[in-house]
Amino acid sequence: MARPMNPLPPSDDPLITFARDLQTLRKKAGDPQLATMAQQSGISTATLSNAHAGKKLPTWTTVNGYVLACGGNPEDWSARWESLRLATATPPADLCREALHRWERTADLTPPQVTHESELRELLTTLLNFNGLSHRTLAQQAPGYSHVTYRAVLRGTRPLRAKILYQILIGCGVHSLRSQEAWFHLLGRFSAREAVEGGKLLARVQQPLRYAGDINMKMLKDILERLERGRGLSALNNISHDNISALHTAYEDMLALLLSSLQRSDTQLPNKLGYAFNQVVRELHNSSIPHPAAITALVPLAMPFHPRLCTRVTMALKNGGELLRRANNGELGVHGPSGLRMPPLAPSTPSQHTAQAVRKPVPQGAGSWRQSTNPALRFTWAT
């Protein structure tokens, strides 16, 4: 039997309410032991216990694992968690809130101006929160340093070096050279030596790494989880139309996020890759499934710093695209609520997980860019 959870104080504080709802979810799931939840989620029992203690907002990784371990749907908690994250931004609060609002609005992960090095560290911590990362998960995505080192640097007990800053930026989805330069410019205000080291680092960035733009890593992982849920659908005799529609939406959301990231880069794609980019955009605009070879060529360009995650995304898009193609061709038994066979899929309804607006068009081939009314793909191709 699980140890009883500590009672929370009677309060309308949003953080307490969030923790209370997590406790309620656990009770509805049969009050599983923390050790069982830890085994299912890969998160330590202490971290899970702190998540429903109401003392500090847990990271999104923790909330996601907690909810899944209790049989819940993380999408139902995402909006609440992000609202709490904005409300509990650490000092300097105004600076961090300004950065969060701008990053969410534009997906351009450049920093606001700061006057003290402590503010730069606070901004980097806010950047971690924006991506739903803990120090441990940052060390997994940016394996150059341990989570202990990252924690010490962000808390100010170890110096912020250019190499460490670069790894933090990569782990947090700051992939465009323009954004990286802006962060190193801030570091240069407090250490001219580290600014020089940062310039040397960026000068050594190889050409294939220069095509990537900034990307919201939390959004990418959320969409990837939805996309990977469709892996077992092809083995089922009866597939619900709702499941196929959800897969269709996740598939388009992922492509929209990756294409928007490439569009935010200041580096134009070579002709062959530009053709693949335009081909995918046109096929999405026509509500058709893009050719898997074009997707396979583009995904590594948008995610060059995360090879394992890149492989997962590529495979999920390949498998999802093939399943959707078979569904559209009538090769799968897709049934509605009444058990009747459904017609081929119509264009999907955009989900709340949307790619952000393109910063500016970069022409590649014949045609021109137009603003789209579809929030899941905020740009479209017009000839």
Side-chain angles (χ1 to χ4, degrees), residues 78-365:
S78 179
R80 286 183 63 190
W81 180 86
E82 295 204 14
S83 297
L84 277 173
R85 182 186 64 187
L86 286 172
T88 59
T90 55
D94 292 341
L95 184 70
C96 294
R97 289 194 184 99
E98 174 195 345
L100 282 172
H101 282 300
R102 179 154 57 81
W103 295 340
E104 291 183 337
R105 187 179 67 253
T106 67
D108 187 356
L109 302 182
T110 53
Q113 295 301 311
V114 298
T115 55
H116 301 285
E117 186 176 353
S118 61
E119 293 178 338
L120 175 56
R121 295 176 194 267
E122 291 289 354
L123 276 179
L124 288 170
T125 300
T126 303
L127 186 63
L128 255 69
N129 294 335
F130 175 78
N131 285 278
L133 298 175
S134 65
H135 299 119
R136 192 176 297 274
T137 51
L138 173 64
Q140 294 170 355
Q141 290 190 185
Y145 299 90
S146 70
H147 70 280
V148 176
T149 299
Y150 285 129
R151 182 188 297 116
V153 168
L154 294 177
R155 289 180 176 178
T157 57
R158 288 191 60 173
L160 179 57
R161 304 297 189 193
K163 291 182 179 179
I164 297 179
L165 174 58
Y166 184 72
Q167 289 300 110
I168 293 174
L169 297 178
I170 292 303
C172 291
V174 184
H175 295 166
S176 75
L177 281 175
R178 180 176 52 83
S179 296
Q180 292 169 0
E181 288 171 352
W183 285 94
F184 279 114
H185 178 74
L186 280 190
L187 181 61
R189 290 189 171 190
F190 316 112
S191 173
R193 177 181 176 182
E194 294 305 319
V196 172
E197 290 299 317
K200 292 178 180 179
L201 279 174
L202 297 184
R204 291 196 296 266
V205 174
Q206 298 177 355
Q207 187 63 32
L209 305 180
R210 296 174 180 263
Y211 300 124
D214 297 341
I215 192 166
N216 186 327
M217 298 298 290
K218 176 184 177 296
M219 182 182 292
L220 185 144
K221 290 182 178 180
D222 288 349
I223 298 173
L224 179 58
E225 287 182 3
R226 293 192 288 123
L227 192 56
E228 289 181 332
R229 290 174 196 166
R231 277 185 302 194
L233 293 180
S234 58
L236 301 177
N237 293 326
N238 294 314
I239 304 175
S240 75
H241 191 265
D242 287 344
N243 285 342
I244 289 292
S245 295
L247 177 63
H248 193 191
T249 300
Y251 181 85
E252 289 192 342
D253 283 354
M254 180 60 79
L255 286 179
L257 182 66
L258 297 175
L259 293 173
S260 294
S261 172
L262 289 172
Q263 271 293 94
R264 279 189 291 272
S265 171
D266 290 326
T267 305
Q268 186 168 333
L269 295 173
N271 290 336
K272 186 175 182 180
L273 294 173
Y275 175 82
F277 182 99
N278 292 335
Q279 178 187 9
V280 172
V281 173
R282 281 194 295 265
E283 289 176 336
L284 278 178
H285 183 55
N286 294 330
S287 300
S288 58
I289 306 300
H291 195 282
I295 294 175
T296 301
L298 292 176
V299 173
L301 299 180
M303 304 177 59
F305 301 100
H306 309 283
R308 292 184 179 179
L309 192 59
C310 177
T311 300
R312 283 182 59 192
V313 170
T314 302
M315 292 303 300
L317 285 171
K318 179 181 177 181
N319 295 335
E322 177 61 24
L323 195 61
L324 292 173
R325 195 175 290 108
R326 292 176 60 192
N328 281 332
N329 293 337
E331 300 174 14
L332 298 178
V334 181
H335 295 77
S338 62
L340 300 176
R341 187 180 179 91
M342 301 294 288
L345 283 170
S348 66
T349 302
S351 78
Q352 63 176 341
H353 298 281
T354 60
Q356 302 297 327
V358 177
R359 187 174 59 81
K360 68 176 182 179
V362 181
Q364 295 172 13

